[in-house]
Structure formats: structure tokens, C-alpha cells
Amino acid sequence: MLQDFGVVGGGKWGTVGQGVGKVAAPQELNEQPQNATEFLGRACAESRQRRGKGLRRMFLGTYTPKLDDKGRLTLPAKFRNELSDGLMVTKGQDHSLAVYPKDEFEKLAARATKASRTNPKARAFVRNLAASTDEQALDASGRVTLSADHRRYAGLAKECVVIGSIDFLEIWDSESWEAYQAEHEENFSEGEDDSLFDVL
């Protein structure tokens, strides 16, 4: 799936971390990567080779915008073209918010509708996904307005973090993101979990 996308790393706008850095394109891209860092590096190398072909860019990088008193959050300027045709804000995993380009969310919704409604967990997921999704459009300043319920769910106050999550963006409370990183960064470094078998 990753090879279907172009790539953009983190920029200078309010960043606390960059997207994947400058990676030389290895000759042996067909070999299996050894860990998550190498996997992302190779994805970037392949993506740079494929730029200019009209492919969707990946959402990468870490940014630190502030939530204003009206619940508005400025999204990174480099992603605004990707979101210019509309975007969907919904509740994400680990009490973050997910921001999808409208067409990408439509794919997610189409997959969700295939879930068996006789399965209680699947039924609850589809209901929560639909009920918690807010269709938005960026204003002239590149801002989205987050609903009171979305701000409550993600524990957003003022200091926020926006991270790229490959095919969508995530919005976190700054302290919550720091705590999540502290808990999971070592797992990423090791990249040995069985759930990564099909990724690494």
C-alpha cells in the first residue's frame, strides 16, 4: 500500500520533530527491512523516486499548533492541498482525533459497512465511527473547528500535537502524546511485535 503514495516529511512550521530524514535510496529495496525505522526509510526512498506522477502524498511529521479559544486548530500548510476537497474529523485510537481527506474516509467507511452487524464489537465500532465523524472544510487560514465532544474525547486544551499517520493525520493533547511516546517509543525501536509481521 505504501508504494501507492508520494511522501512529505515534517516541515519548519511549528515542528518538534521532522518527518523521516534524508535517506539515500538503497539499491536493495527489494530486500526485507530489519526494523520499523528501516522500513520507513525505504518507503521514503521509493516515494521520492515516484514523485511527479500525480500520486497522493503521505502525511508525515510532528507539528505543535495551539488550539484557540473558539476550538479552532491550524493544520500544517503543506497538507492543505490534500485536504482542500474536504476532510473528516473523527475519534481515533488511544483518545486521539483522526483527520482524513474526504475520499480516504469514504474508503474507510466502505470497509466498515462490510463488517457483520451481528458482531457486537463490529456493530459498536461502526456506530461510533459514524456518530463521531464531523465533515469539515479548511477556512481561509487553514483551520478546522473541533467540536466540544471531540475536544473532550482527546482531552484537548491549548497545547496540541498534530502527527502524520501515513494516510491521515492525528491530533493529540501535547501531554498525552508525550506520555504515549514515553510508553511506546522503545517498542518502535525494537520492532519485534508479532503484529508487525506483515509490515516489517
Side-chain angles (χ1 to χ4, degrees), residues 114-168:
K114 295 179 182 178
S116 172
R117 296 300 180 103
T118 61
N119 183 316
K121 290 185 178 180
R123 191 164 63 239
F125 177 84
V126 173
R127 283 173 174 164
N128 276 283
L129 178 69
S132 68
T133 299
D134 182 20
E135 184 172 359
Q136 291 253 352
L138 295 174
D139 67 14
S141 298
R143 298 173 299 192
V144 292
T145 300
L146 303 178
S147 70
D149 188 51
H150 279 164
R151 299 197 304 271
R152 175 201 58 79
Y153 175 80
L156 302 180
K158 187 174 184 66
E159 302 295 332
C160 298
V161 175
V162 174
I163 66 166
S165 195
I166 312 298
D167 52 356
F168 64 98

Side-chain angles (χ1 to χ4, degrees), residues 14-87:
T15 61
V16 296
Q18 299 291 337
V20 176
K22 196 171 185 179
V23 180
Q27 295 179 350
E28 61 278 4
L29 284 175
N30 291 328
E31 295 182 4
Q32 289 296 319
Q34 299 302 308
N35 52 49
T37 303
E38 185 178 347
F39 167 76
L40 289 176
R42 292 187 183 186
C44 285
E46 288 182 332
S47 296
R48 281 197 296 274
Q49 294 171 0
R50 294 166 60 84
R51 278 194 184 182
K53 297 183 180 180
L55 302 176
R56 180 185 294 285
R57 293 174 171 176
M58 283 196 274
F59 296 104
L60 301 175
T62 303
Y63 309 83
T64 56
K66 297 181 187 299
L67 191 70
D68 71 14
D69 294 338
K70 296 182 179 180
R72 297 175 300 190
L73 191 74
T74 302
L75 296 182
K78 64 171 54 185
F79 300 135
R80 292 176 193 170
N81 284 342
E82 296 299 318
L83 301 171
S84 61
D85 291 331
L87 59 93

